[in-house]
Amino acid sequence: MDMENFIHTVISTCDYIKAKKRSKKTINLSFDEWNVWFHSNDQDKKIEPWSIAPPQLEDVYTFEDALLVGSMLNTIIRHSDRIKIAAMAQLVNVIAPIMTENGGRVWKQTIFYPYYYTSVYGRGVALNPVINSPKYDSTDFTDVPYLDSSVVYNEEKEEVVIFATNRHMESTLQVDIDARSFQGYEVAEHVVLQHDNPKATNTLGNEQVKPHNKGESYMENGKVVGILPKLSWNMIRLTKGNE
């Protein structure tokens, strides 16, 4: 929510200057070096001074961090009409979705999965979803929708992909998606990232948080009905069937 408000503020500022200068130029944005980062500051204080290539900022991400990254990606996609570049801070080891060790072993952090699926399937034209969702209040924000989502249409592959986060900590969320504009499309896949423990982590040899493709969703009368488990990140992929 904070990221969304920040983007709105910057876009509004750019458009105000455009109007003030009576310019024809629309300023697009680069959202540089985004990610979750709050774990490793104390750990790095223990590094021996003058060490050669010590491990630094090697955050261990939780499942709730993965949900946040999924929603951050949704936010970027929804504003891709103005955000043309959005680089994740680092990809390997340093506050990163991919971890390695000396000698060659590698493992995926919890935040890897929303980033991976969005990178692979979030290609095409970002659609503007009109979302009607129940809401809640948090310490810092009011009227927070339980459903956070983005939608991408890949015309070349005849594919529509819905990315959706259920923020509710206790209840599943049924989503009804109007897909009448995509006649002949069927649900091809529903990937779910979920875990009962929001603090669950992936470490070397113990990846507790992994996606599965057993999500509940189906097409009915031009509408996609999807069941989003509590505290889950979801990808529902529609493809055009044989006519």
Side-chain angles (χ1 to χ4, degrees):
M1 296 290 288
D2 190 47
M3 182 184 188
E4 185 110 32
N5 292 339
F6 175 59
I7 292 169
H8 283 159
T9 299
V10 175
I11 289 174
S12 298
T13 302
C14 292
D15 290 346
Y16 166 73
I17 295 300
K18 176 183 178 180
K20 186 176 181 179
K21 290 182 171 292
R22 296 175 179 166
S23 171
K24 295 181 180 180
K25 179 178 176 60
T26 298
I27 300 174
N28 291 322
L29 308 180
S30 169
F31 202 112
D32 195 27
E33 298 211 13
W34 63 272
N35 201 356
V36 186
W37 179 23
F38 66 93
H39 304 275
S40 59
N41 293 338
D42 290 336
Q43 183 67 27
D44 287 353
K45 293 177 183 178
K46 302 175 185 177
I47 295 175
E48 196 69 27
W50 303 104
S51 301
I52 297 176
Q56 298 185 61
L57 304 180
E58 292 194 351
D59 286 4
V60 176
Y61 286 107
T62 65
F63 171 59
E64 62 186 353
D65 292 333
L67 296 179
L68 177 56
V69 166
S71 286
M72 294 171 81
L73 287 162
N74 284 340
T75 302
I76 292 167
I77 290 172
R78 287 197 300 268
H79 294 283
S80 58
D81 59 325
R82 297 295 292 271
I83 298 176
K84 299 304 180 183
I85 300 174
M88 180 175 261
Q90 278 84 26
L91 292 178
V92 180
N93 289 342
V94 177
I95 56 170
I98 301 169
M99 301 299 290
T100 67
E101 66 166 2
N102 289 337
R105 287 190 294 178
V106 61
W107 68 100
K108 306 176 187 73
Q109 294 240 47
T110 61
I111 65 171
F112 170 84
Y113 293 105
Y115 191 71
Y116 167 78
Y117 281 101
T118 305
S119 175
V120 172
Y121 294 104
R123 297 175 181 269
V125 177
L127 305 184
N128 186 19
V130 179
I131 299 173
N132 181 13
S133 168
K135 300 177 181 180
Y136 67 97
D137 294 339
S138 68
T139 303
D140 298 316
F141 297 96
T142 58
D143 294 329
V144 181
Y146 281 114
L147 173 64
D148 180 76
S149 185
S150 64
V151 183
V152 177
Y153 170 48
N154 189 325
E155 183 177 9
E156 182 180 351
K157 290 187 175 181
E158 296 186 314
E159 185 175 78
V160 177
V161 181
I162 299 109
F163 301 105
T165 302
N166 178 7
R167 293 180 172 128
H168 206 297
M169 298 183 69
E170 299 174 352
S171 300
T172 59
L173 190 65
Q174 178 176 316
V175 294
D176 300 317
I177 306 164
D178 188 343
R180 287 175 295 177
S181 297
F182 297 97
Q183 189 173 1
Y185 281 67
E186 298 290 340
V187 176
E189 186 177 23
H190 181 170
V191 175
V192 182
L193 187 68
Q194 63 182 132
H195 201 282
D196 290 335
N197 180 11
K199 303 298 183 182
T201 60
N202 289 351
T203 54
L204 181 60
N206 184 26
E207 293 190 21
Q208 300 182 68
V209 181
K210 292 183 178 181
H212 64 79
N213 61 357
K214 299 176 183 178
E216 299 179 54
S217 57
Y218 56 91
M219 184 76 77
E220 183 178 69
N221 298 324
K223 179 173 68 175
V224 179
V225 179
I227 306 299
L228 312 184
K230 66 178 183 179
L231 276 186
S232 66
W233 177 90
N234 300 258
M235 182 194 78
I236 301 174
R237 186 166 61 90
L238 313 179
T239 57
K240 195 167 187 178
N242 295 325
E243 297 184 359

